[in-house]
Amino acid sequence: GHMASSTKEAFAAALKQMMAVKPMDKITVKDLVEICGVNRQTFYYTNMCPQIQNEFNGGVWQSLEKRVQSYDWICDDTLYVVSGAAMIGDYKYTSTKSNQKVAVPTHFYKVLARSRSGKTGKALGELNDDQVKCVGFWLDHFGYDTKDKISRKEMVSVSEIERLTGFTFFPELSDEVKSSYEPSDWGM
């Protein structure tokens, strides 16, 4: 993804702060992310995937990421978020700047889980089924226009994304919890 201007500004300020106490060649990404409070995993290669830029990454995917980061979904308890890409059926290829052939994912997804109240002070596995809410978002990489925003039509159960991907998410949650979702729980 691309870095928001507020994130860039935070990094610039952090860099200036570090340069006052360390030579430039000794400043690490770890130093900067600790000052900024940014998750270091943002910079791992595993967080990179070929995406259609304007119609997908700058459109519907960005609107989903903004919802995930909104105060409506963030809470005192942990909001667990897993994002991924899937290759289903025939897929397309693109080339890197060094002419390496790279497969382009057909779908992207996010699965989310958190306590309903957001204020339990407990881990997911310590909560009863009725204290937990979860949801999945399944997006066709090629099916959007630039102005599209995330909507109910992309919402699916976590169980459905497990079925589509073959992965198990939130193993501490019951199948009953993972197989249902309520759009209104997520303001949609």
Side-chain angles (χ1 to χ4, degrees):
H2 77 290
M3 198 180 298
S5 62
S6 59
T7 306
K8 287 179 188 171
E9 290 163 12
F11 273 105
L15 183 58
K16 286 178 188 169
Q17 185 180 336
M18 286 305 301
M19 286 170 61
V21 294
K22 266 189 177 181
M24 182 73 168
D25 63 342
K26 299 292 183 207
I27 297 172
T28 66
V29 170
K30 185 174 189 270
D31 294 330
L32 298 175
V33 294
E34 283 175 359
I35 290 171
C36 294
V38 174
N39 187 333
R40 182 169 169 75
Q41 291 181 1
T42 301
F43 301 99
Y44 290 170
Y45 284 120
T46 55
N47 190 38
M48 293 173 57
C49 209
Q51 287 184 336
I52 297 170
Q53 287 308 303
N54 295 333
E55 293 83 7
F56 188 82
N57 193 36
V60 69
W61 188 254
Q62 183 179 49
S63 80
L64 176 55
E65 289 190 329
K66 284 182 177 177
R67 289 297 292 267
V68 169
Q69 296 165 7
S70 75
Y71 290 110
D72 298 337
W73 292 5
I74 300 286
C75 58
D76 290 341
D77 291 341
T78 300
L79 169 64
Y80 295 88
V81 181
V82 180
S83 301
M87 307 289 216
I88 296 178
D90 294 331
Y91 42 91
K92 300 173 183 173
Y93 290 88
T94 190
S95 296
T96 65
K97 289 177 184 171
S98 59
N99 268 344
Q100 297 288 328
K101 191 174 171 183
V102 178
V104 177
T106 57
H107 295 82
F108 286 86
Y109 61 86
K110 283 189 187 290
V111 289
L112 293 84
R114 59 163 268 197
S115 66
R116 286 189 173 280
S117 74
K119 300 175 186 152
T120 66
K122 297 179 180 178
L124 281 180
E126 299 171 15
L127 301 171
N128 298 325
D129 282 1
D130 63 348
Q131 294 177 291
V132 177
K133 64 181 183 178
C134 59
V135 68
F137 290 88
W138 183 255
L139 293 88
D140 180 334
H141 191 190
F142 304 102
Y144 295 96
D145 187 77
T146 313
K147 294 177 180 67
D148 288 339
K149 302 286 183 232
I150 200 68
S151 69
R152 284 183 176 204
K153 73 177 189 251
E154 290 85 23
M155 294 178 99
V156 296
S157 68
V158 172
S159 294
E160 177 64 6
I161 294 181
E162 288 179 330
R163 184 188 70 73
L164 290 163
T165 63
F167 295 127
T168 299
F169 302 102
F170 318 126
E172 66 280 17
L173 298 182
S174 72
D175 288 339
E176 188 178 339
V177 168
K178 292 195 292 184
S179 65
S180 66
Y181 66 95
E182 183 54 54
S184 62
D185 282 348
W186 301 93
M188 303 201 50

